[in-house]
Amino acid sequence: MSGIHHITAIAGDASRNLDFYTRVLGLRLVKKTVNFDDPGTYHLYFGDEEGHPGTILTFFPWGHAPKGRAGAGLAQQTMFRIPESAIGYWAHRFVEKGVPHEAIEKRFGQSVLSFTDPDGMSLAFVGVAGTENEPTWRDGGIPAEHAVRGFHGVRLLLEEGKRTAAILTDVLGFSEAGNEGPVTRFVANGTTAGGVIEIREAKGFLAGNMGRGSVHHVAFRAATDEAQAEMRRKLVEGHRLHVTEQIDRNYFRSIYFREPGGVIFEIATDEPGFAIDEPVTSLGQALKLPPFLEGQRKEIEAILQPLEQAA
């Protein structure tokens, strides 16, 4: 299986982040843990009921992080898929909730509603025909016929896209699917959630700075450790890229590299998934720590700010 596994971004206030993605967008908090490399910071995972690959948007909420600057070498927009008939519902909801958004437009023949989260992260809902029966989270306060069905994809803003395109098609399982102006679309055939990558070329565009409201990295799927190892071999031998050794992230196992356009890419295994340390029915309710941090639980809990949601 190809496509996006998850996308990780940088947020500011953790409670505000939790409130927006659960109460306003209706996603499920699938996992509440910490940044394994910076355990004084939460790592919050939002997705569908079971946290399927292709539905997971995660955040490092660094309260004092400077605001990021959009530009070349970063992900420009993260796109979710919703039923085609739900676009009007969401436009009305954003007016009601005071969410900054733009007029509905057409891209590649699909209706798109762009908006931003409280940290200024660029997001969009894309109306996709036939998504009504796909998995979702039905207890998020959004009528099921309008609820989010995971990622549609992500748009990258790059100075030059040729070498990135080669990695998408040679290593990550995507095929070129067409152009619209400066944007080239790639799709992972047979994949629903997270099956679209768009490259927007913008030669001479100001380089982006990562910060609050920016995507930190885009993670792609590997079904198994063996599939991931083969992808790593292609990146090193065929594309001459530096790729990390495999790192255990508890819910998946990952390798990382910076693609030629500047965006950090990750390849994460589908296994073992988010139910490895708590039942599906109670995902996201308790602070979960990896075994190597359990001995520091008291100290970590004392540092983390309590998560609070608006009434």
Side-chain angles (χ1 to χ4, degrees):
M1 184 64 74
S2 302
I4 294 170
H5 183 283
H6 67 270
I7 294 173
T8 293
I10 300 169
D13 183 79
S15 293
R16 185 178 64 179
N17 178 256
L18 172 67
D19 185 70
F20 182 79
Y21 285 94
T22 57
R23 187 181 62 84
V24 178
L25 298 193
L27 304 181
R28 185 180 193 184
L29 179 62
V30 170
K31 189 65 62 179
K32 180 169 60 175
T33 183
V34 295
N35 182 328
F36 291 0
D37 302 317
D38 177 15
T41 301
Y42 282 113
H43 194 177
L44 304 178
Y45 292 69
F46 303 97
D48 70 358
E49 181 174 5
E50 298 184 27
H52 289 105
T55 74
I56 297 294
L57 177 61
T58 95
F59 286 92
F60 301 137
W62 283 310
H64 299 293
K67 187 162 179 14
R69 183 184 69 201
L74 294 177
Q76 183 180 35
Q77 187 172 65
T78 299
M79 300 174 282
F80 293 98
R81 53 197 280 123
I82 61 171
E84 196 171 28
S85 59
I87 283 281
Y89 167 87
W90 283 102
H92 284 291
R93 183 171 177 82
F94 288 164
V95 171
E96 176 186 299
K97 300 293 184 184
V99 177
H101 61 283
E102 300 177 9
I104 297 169
E105 60 177 322
K106 287 286 186 181
R107 296 183 196 165
F108 293 94
Q110 295 171 311
S111 297
V112 177
L113 174 62
S114 296
F115 61 102
T116 54
D117 79 357
D119 290 300
M121 180 174 169
S122 178
L123 303 164
F125 280 157
V126 180
V128 181
T131 60
E132 290 78 7
N133 295 322
E134 293 177 7
T136 187
W137 172 233
R138 294 177 178 273
D139 290 339
I142 305 296
E145 65 269 27
H146 302 313
V148 175
R149 263 65 177 183
F151 291 124
H152 180 64
V154 66
R155 175 172 289 190
L156 311 177
L157 181 64
L158 304 180
E159 172 82 13
E160 198 280 319
K162 185 176 179 181
R163 292 181 63 201
T164 305
I167 290 168
L168 290 174
T169 55
D170 180 48
V171 181
L172 299 175
F174 286 79
S175 302
E176 187 172 333
N179 295 275
E180 194 170 84
V183 179
T184 303
R185 173 174 281 194
F186 298 83
V187 299
N189 292 320
T191 297
T192 53
V196 173
I197 300 292
E198 293 176 350
I199 294 178
R200 179 176 182 177
E201 277 197 344
K203 295 186 186 304
F205 204 89
L206 191 68
N209 275 345
M210 197 179 290
R212 182 165 42 85
S214 300
V215 167
H216 185 271
H217 62 262
V218 180
F220 295 87
R221 298 179 66 175
T224 63
D225 291 331
E226 291 74 21
Q228 184 191 66
E230 175 59 15
M231 296 159 90
R232 186 180 190 282
R233 185 192 67 76
K234 286 185 174 181
L235 289 166
V236 173
E237 296 180 5
H239 298 270
R240 304 296 178 188
L241 293 174
H242 173 73
V243 186
T244 69
E245 297 298 322
Q246 189 187 68
I247 301 172
D248 186 356
R249 297 304 189 189
N250 214 31
Y251 312 108
F252 40 84
R253 294 176 288 278
S254 299
I255 58 176
Y256 300 85
F257 62 101
R258 192 179 292 274
E259 58 84 23
V263 183
I264 299 173
F265 279 2
E266 172 182 350
I267 300 175
T269 58
D270 285 356
E271 304 164 337
F274 293 101
I276 188 175
D277 58 0
E278 58 185 336
V280 169
T281 51
S282 58
L283 286 175
Q285 294 180 18
L287 176 68
K288 307 304 293 187
L289 299 176
F292 74 91
L293 289 176
E294 272 297 345
Q296 303 173 45
R297 177 173 283 274
K298 282 188 178 179
E299 293 83 353
I300 291 171
E301 289 181 338
I303 293 172
L304 296 172
Q305 69 172 89
L307 289 175
E308 299 174 351
Q309 286 182 274

